């Protein structure tokens, strides 16, 4: 095996020849370097895209801090090098290595991939290939690292089933320790890799695809998914933490510019709004909040430890955080005059949000973001994001009146039942918002419009829907481009091919593993980058594998179809999702379930955890029934 010293010597030669060598050196403030030889278990946390993007991933930062608090394990980082560095490394025989110790990834015990979105899949193959680790899990031996993956994309793990040994479904804070424990026990017994996989697959929240068999019907839909090993979980229910642990405070400070150079504090997890297109909102239930004190403490500590000048208070719906006024007021007062940028994403469209942002006036930069997602009240009812147009225009008026010159509006096209008239309504609404700005601040008013495209994601009420075709998307985008021509209106949109690829991969089944491998062989890399996407490589891969991609995205599904992800249990019942889908078809909305619980399934699924974490820690009602074991006791 190549040593870290040899890797360093070769790196010295190539680093001056590549773009942004700071991506590949490590050595940043707050990185953790432990004595390799004295530590029992070595984990490499891998984000399969470049450093500039991966460094901002909060999931990886959480695991890095948690694992490095252990005395018997270390966590180091690895990112996928950009194309120039990849070529230079291959030319000079440098395998992918960790930034902290420069050990090759093949020397680690566990490789843990973070997969927040599906367009990273071919990059996983590039990572393994550059690390000289067998791509297919069936080809790995006892001496190869265990390859695991977690993150939102893994709620449908099937397309990657050939490559990943074990998937973590849900939140990783507790389960990562159980995985390390299982690995350490296995290592001591000197037994087969298969034994390790069995012990992993009995950990709640861990899915080892090897132990499940899928059969198909003649029409190519799934007939059945069943387990073929008695001891494994079925279905595989996601893991959650009952109470959010203290957030990380020792963020690594990059030496080069990255996507977000900031302190990120997750103020709450989960969302009760129930937008029907929103994967994150459905899979991250229940809502759990951090206390204001815990958040303030984390900000203080992180500022001390990093010197960052930006703070992101993160959540899926910040206005819904119970003590948002208190939090924002305190943060604004405490850090006034310190020239900190404080961002508060995902605000509701109302005057309350404008008041909140006004409190953070000092850190005001950029525009004010609103996400109506659809332009007509009818369409907003279908997607369960009820909002009156009058309220949106009134909010826009207030924003421009209070000193913002730019509003950013986010819309989605391709919603179920959407017509070209609904799309035209987006343009009309944008013009109406812009008119508010012109009225208040004249020529200084600006409007940025971001238009993404709907994908019927797994585990959402729209999972039975199909997608728009590329031609339909292009027609809708052309209409918007035509209608929104003004030098102060900036329109951006997602390449329909990127959308389609994401749709195939997110809705795919096991048969897509072959397609992913073939596309990678055909040259697909960095698929999430619009300028790198090689759509021909994917089309060719589908042809090579004799799979029709439209099977995944452009057909109607019967309500009893078995989905590839049905054996992955998010806690939200399929029956609940179906009811919600049917409500969407008659434009009936469901209110925020903080006000009224709709029995989505989360409480029975996690009743014991809720019992152990009573009161306001969760936004779901308390569980009244006794724990199961007690209920079964004879009277
Ligand atoms: S259990 Fe009730 S309150 Fe909790 S997420 Fe589900 S619907 Fe909402």
């Amino acid at each position: 095996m190549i040593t870290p010293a040899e890797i360093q010597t070769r790196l010295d030669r190539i680093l001056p020849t590549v773009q942004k060598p700071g991506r590949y050196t490590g050595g940043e403030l707050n990185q953790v370097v432990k004595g390799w030889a004295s530590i029992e278990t070595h984990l490499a946390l891998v984000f399969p895209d470049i450093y500039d993007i991966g460094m901002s991933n909060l999931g990886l930062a959480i695991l890095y801090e948690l694992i490095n608090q252990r005395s018997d394990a270390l966590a180091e980082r690895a990112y996928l090098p950009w194309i120039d560095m990849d070529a230079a490394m291959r030319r000079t025989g440098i395998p992918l290595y960790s930034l902290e110790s420069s050990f090759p990834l093949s020397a680690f015990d566990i490789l843990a991939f973070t997969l927040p979105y599906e367009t990273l899949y071919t990059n996983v193959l590039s990572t393994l290939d550059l690390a000289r680790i067998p791509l297919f899990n069936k080809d790995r031996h006892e001496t190869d690292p265990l390859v695991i993956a977690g993150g939102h994309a893994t709620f449908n793990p099937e397309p990657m089933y050939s490559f990943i040994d074990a998937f973590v479904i849900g939140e990783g804070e507790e389960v990562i320790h159980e995985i390390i424990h299982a690995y350490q026990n296995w290592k001591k017994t000197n037994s087969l890799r298969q034994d390790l996989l069995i012990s992993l697959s009995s950990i709640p929240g861990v899915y080892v695809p090897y132990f499940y068999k899928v059969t198909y019907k003649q029409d190519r839909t799934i007939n059945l998914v069943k387990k073929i090993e008695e001891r494994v979980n079925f279905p595989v229910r996601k893991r959650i933490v009952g109470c959010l642990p203290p957030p990380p405070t020792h963020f690594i400070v990059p030496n080069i510019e990255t996507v977000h150079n900031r302190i990120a504090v997750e103020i709450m997890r989960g969302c009760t709004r129930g937008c029907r297109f929103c994967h994150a909102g459905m899979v991250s239930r229940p809502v759990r909040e951090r206390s204001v004190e815990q958040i303030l403490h984390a900000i203080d500590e992180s500022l001390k430890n990093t010197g960052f000048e930006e703070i992101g208070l993160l959540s899926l719906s910040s206005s819904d955080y119970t003590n948002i006024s208190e939090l924002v007021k305190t943060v604004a007062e405490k850090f006034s005059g310190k020239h900190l940028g404080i961002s508060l994403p995902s605000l509701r469209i109302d005057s309350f949000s404008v008041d909140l942002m006004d409190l953070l006036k000092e850190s005001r930069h950029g525009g004010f973001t609103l996400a109506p997602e659809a332009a007509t009240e009818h369409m907003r009812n279908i997607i369960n994001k009820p909002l009156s147009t009058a309220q949106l225009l009134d909010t826009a008026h207030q924003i421009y009146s209070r000193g913002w010159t730019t509003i950013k509006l986010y819309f989605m096209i391709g919603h179920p039942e959407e017509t070209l008239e609904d799309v035209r309504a987006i343009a009309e609404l944008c013009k109406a918002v812009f008119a508010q700005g012109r009225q208040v601040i004249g020529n200084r008013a600006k409007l940025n419009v971001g238009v993404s495209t709907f994908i019927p994601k797994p585990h959402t009420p729209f999972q039975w829907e199909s997608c728009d075709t590329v031609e339909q998307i292009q027609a809708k985008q052309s209409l918007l481009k035509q209608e929104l021509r003004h030098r102060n209106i900036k329109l951006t949109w997602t390449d329909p091919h990127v959308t389609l690829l994401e749709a195939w991969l997110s809705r795919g089944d096991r048969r897509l593993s072959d397609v992913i491998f073939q596309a990678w062989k055909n040259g697909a890399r960095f698929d999430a980058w619009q300028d790198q996407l090689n759509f021909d490589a994917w089309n060719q891969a589908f042809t090579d594998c004799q799979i029709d991609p439209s099977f995944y995205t452009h057909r109607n599904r019967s309500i009893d179809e078995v989905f590839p992800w049905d054996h992955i249990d998010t806690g939200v019942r399929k029956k609940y999702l179906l009811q919600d889908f049917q409500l969407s078809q008659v434009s009936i909305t469901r209110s925020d379930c903080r006000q009224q619980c709709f029995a989505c399934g989360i409480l029975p699924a996690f009743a014991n955890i809720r019992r152990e974490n009573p009161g306001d820690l969760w936004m779901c009602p308390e569980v009244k029934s006794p724990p199961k074991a007690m209920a079964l006791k004879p009277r």
Side-chain angles (χ1 to χ4, degrees):
M1 185 188 75
I2 187 166
T3 64
E6 282 171 83
I7 288 179
Q8 276 304 332
T9 310
R10 294 182 199 185
L11 277 177
D12 289 344
R13 286 207 305 272
I14 61 169
L15 283 180
T17 69
V18 298
Q19 289 171 35
K20 297 196 185 180
R23 288 168 174 161
Y24 311 112
T25 57
E28 311 95 322
L29 179 66
N30 292 332
Q31 74 161 8
V32 181
V33 184
K34 293 182 170 180
W36 179 275
S38 61
I39 300 287
E40 187 179 343
T41 309
H42 310 92
L43 287 96
L45 304 180
V46 189
F47 191 92
D49 206 311
I50 56 171
Y51 176 92
D52 321 30
I53 293 176
M55 274 294 283
S56 305
N57 184 268
L58 183 59
L60 196 145
I62 292 172
L63 291 181
Y64 187 81
E65 210 160 307
L66 274 179
I67 297 166
N68 280 323
Q69 282 162 4
R70 296 174 65 120
S71 57
D72 61 347
L74 62 76
E76 301 192 349
R77 294 161 298 145
Y79 305 95
L80 189 63
W82 188 241
I83 299 158
D84 60 341
M85 181 65 172
D86 182 292
M89 286 171 71
R90 289 176 194 275
R91 211 173 44 241
T92 50
I94 304 176
L96 191 56
Y97 58 91
S98 73
L99 292 182
E100 280 77 3
S101 66
S102 304
F103 266 95
L105 293 199
S106 56
F108 281 77
D109 297 300
I110 302 174
L111 244 64
F113 280 97
T114 297
L115 296 176
Y117 42 90
E118 297 80 3
T119 39
L120 292 172
Y121 289 168
T122 54
N123 282 7
V124 171
L125 303 198
S126 298
T127 307
L128 292 170
D129 186 56
L130 194 56
R132 301 178 193 163
I133 293 168
L135 299 190
F136 289 93
N137 46 23
K138 65 178 172 47
D139 297 332
R140 290 183 204 127
H141 299 288
E142 282 66 19
T143 49
D144 290 312
L146 171 73
V147 178
I148 64 174
H152 274 192
T154 64
F155 279 98
N156 176 17
E158 293 299 77
M160 289 296 280
Y161 99 107
S162 297
F163 313 113
I164 303 294
D165 295 316
F167 293 90
V168 172
I169 311 297
E171 297 166 4
E173 285 106 331
E174 290 176 354
V175 75
I176 192 65
H177 295 300
E178 292 162 38
I179 290 172
I180 293 172
H181 183 69
Y183 185 88
Q184 291 176 338
N185 283 345
W186 169 74
K187 204 76 201 231
K188 281 174 201 141
T189 60
N190 224 354
S191 55
L192 296 173
R193 194 173 174 91
Q194 174 109 345
D195 297 319
L196 169 63
L197 296 181
I198 288 192
S199 81
L200 289 172
S201 62
S202 55
I203 298 174
V206 175
Y207 173 59
V208 179
Y210 180 78
F211 298 120
Y212 300 77
K213 190 170 179 337
V214 183
T215 52
Y216 300 93
K217 294 181 184 169
Q218 277 219 314
D219 66 2
R220 293 177 291 152
T221 59
I222 291 171
N223 178 42
L224 187 70
V225 179
K226 63 173 187 179
K227 61 179 184 177
I228 53 170
E229 157 62 52
E230 203 37 52
R231 287 164 284 182
V232 309
N233 304 308
F234 193 92
V236 183
R237 178 166 291 163
K238 77 172 180 186
R239 283 295 286 270
I240 60 165
V241 290
C243 169
L244 300 184
T249 54
H250 289 81
F251 292 95
I252 297 173
V253 183
N255 293 329
I256 62 165
E257 198 63 35
T258 58
V259 173
H260 294 298
N261 272 327
R262 68 175 182 196
I263 294 161
V265 185
E266 192 185 14
I267 61 175
M268 72 176 185
R269 199 173 285 177
C271 180
T272 46
R273 291 267 146 192
C275 300
R276 292 178 174 131
F277 57 83
C278 182
H279 183 256
M282 291 294 160
V283 301
S284 62
R285 292 175 177 211
V287 168
R288 288 139 295 158
E289 297 188 340
R290 287 201 161 99
S291 69
V292 172
E293 296 71 43
Q294 199 181 40
I295 295 165
L296 293 174
H297 178 73
I299 296 175
D300 278 339
E301 285 299 300
S302 306
L303 283 173
K304 232 187 290 165
N305 294 333
T306 63
F308 277 134
E309 289 166 356
E310 239 188 277
I311 303 164
L313 299 173
L314 308 187
S315 79
L316 291 173
S317 176
S318 299
S319 312
D320 292 329
Y321 175 70
T322 306
N323 297 312
I324 190 69
S325 296
E326 183 196 342
L327 175 68
V328 170
K329 267 186 208 142
T330 317
V331 167
E333 278 163 22
K334 207 168 163 182
F335 301 110
S336 104
K338 299 208 169 133
H339 307 293
L340 291 176
I342 301 165
S343 58
L344 194 60
S346 311
L347 289 168
R348 266 199 320 259
I349 301 175
D350 56 17
S351 52
F352 175 66
S353 302
V354 190
D355 291 342
L356 284 176
M357 289 299 283
D358 231 6
L359 288 166
L360 299 174
K361 219 181 241 155
E362 200 187 298
S363 65
R364 181 180 303 173
H365 59 103
F368 195 120
T369 303
L370 304 173
E373 306 291 358
T376 63
E377 289 176 23
H378 169 66
M379 194 50 75
R380 287 196 288 263
N381 287 349
I382 290 178
I383 64 173
N384 204 41
K385 197 156 186 186
L387 164 78
S388 75
T389 299
Q391 191 178 337
L392 171 63
L393 294 180
D394 180 55
T395 310
H397 189 90
Q398 290 186 46
I399 293 169
Y400 284 122
S401 307
R402 298 218 211 160
W404 277 272
T405 53
T406 306
I407 291 183
K408 297 180 189 168
L409 287 181
Y410 284 112
F411 289 97
M412 203 178 254
I413 53 170
H415 288 304
E417 294 181 43
E418 185 184 66
T419 63
L420 275 182
E421 279 320 296
D422 293 308
V423 179
R424 195 180 303 280
I426 294 179
E428 294 310 319
L429 186 59
C430 290
K431 287 178 197 167
V433 167
F434 185 57
Q436 296 290 332
R438 301 276 288 191
Q439 195 188 327
V440 181
I441 54 171
N443 283 339
R444 289 191 301 129
K446 291 196 173 69
L447 183 70
N448 293 348
V449 184
V451 181
S452 62
T453 307
F454 165 73
I455 294 171
K457 289 275 180 150
H459 303 290
T460 67
F462 285 154
Q463 61 182 349
W464 287 271
E465 278 291 345
S466 66
C467 302
D468 271 356
T469 61
V470 167
E471 294 70 30
Q472 283 170 313
I473 300 170
Q474 281 168 339
K476 291 176 180 180
Q477 290 177 340
S478 303
L479 193 154
L480 290 173
K481 285 180 217 172
Q482 206 180 321
E483 291 289 323
L484 291 174
R485 278 197 194 135
H486 190 286
R487 64 190 155 81
N488 280 5
I489 300 181
K490 193 174 145 211
L491 175 69
T492 51
W493 58 90
T494 313
D495 178 341
H497 298 102
V498 174
T499 301
L500 211 57
L501 176 62
E502 191 184 329
W504 292 331
L505 295 176
S506 62
R507 302 194 52 93
D509 53 36
R510 290 188 167 197
R511 293 167 291 195
L512 275 201
S513 254
D514 292 343
V515 179
I516 293 168
F517 178 62
Q518 196 57 43
W520 178 77
K521 281 209 315 194
N522 294 347
R525 305 278 187 283
F526 290 106
D527 297 306
W529 294 66
Q530 296 204 14
D531 58 347
Q532 295 297 320
L533 175 65
N534 181 347
F535 201 64
D536 290 343
W538 283 97
N539 274 333
Q540 189 56 48
F542 276 105
T543 307
D544 295 343
C545 298
Q546 298 181 0
I547 290 178
D548 172 10
S550 66
F551 172 78
Y552 296 100
T553 42
H554 298 109
R555 67 185 169 89
N556 292 324
R557 287 173 170 75
S558 68
I559 54 169
D560 53 2
E561 177 167 336
V562 178
F563 292 130
W565 51 87
D566 275 355
H567 56 298
I568 304 297
D569 175 10
T570 65
V572 177
R573 283 191 278 247
K574 192 173 181 183
K575 209 167 127 198
Y576 170 87
L577 296 175
L578 181 59
Q579 274 171 359
D580 210 41
F581 176 51
Q582 287 164 339
L583 289 177
S584 82
Q585 293 173 320
V586 284
S587 315
I588 293 181
T589 58
R590 260 181 170 145
S591 58
D592 184 336
C593 63
R594 282 180 195 225
Q595 286 135 32
Q596 180 197 351
C597 174
F598 294 107
C600 69
I602 283 289
L603 276 181
F606 301 108
N608 286 337
I609 304 181
R610 176 62 174 130
R611 245 183 238 107
E612 288 158 14
N613 296 276
D616 296 344
L617 269 175
W618 290 29
M619 293 301 119
C620 304
E622 300 230 34
V623 177
K624 300 255 166 34
S625 61
K628 262 203 179 123
M630 278 171 66
L632 292 174
K633 269 187 193 167
R635 289 184 188 185

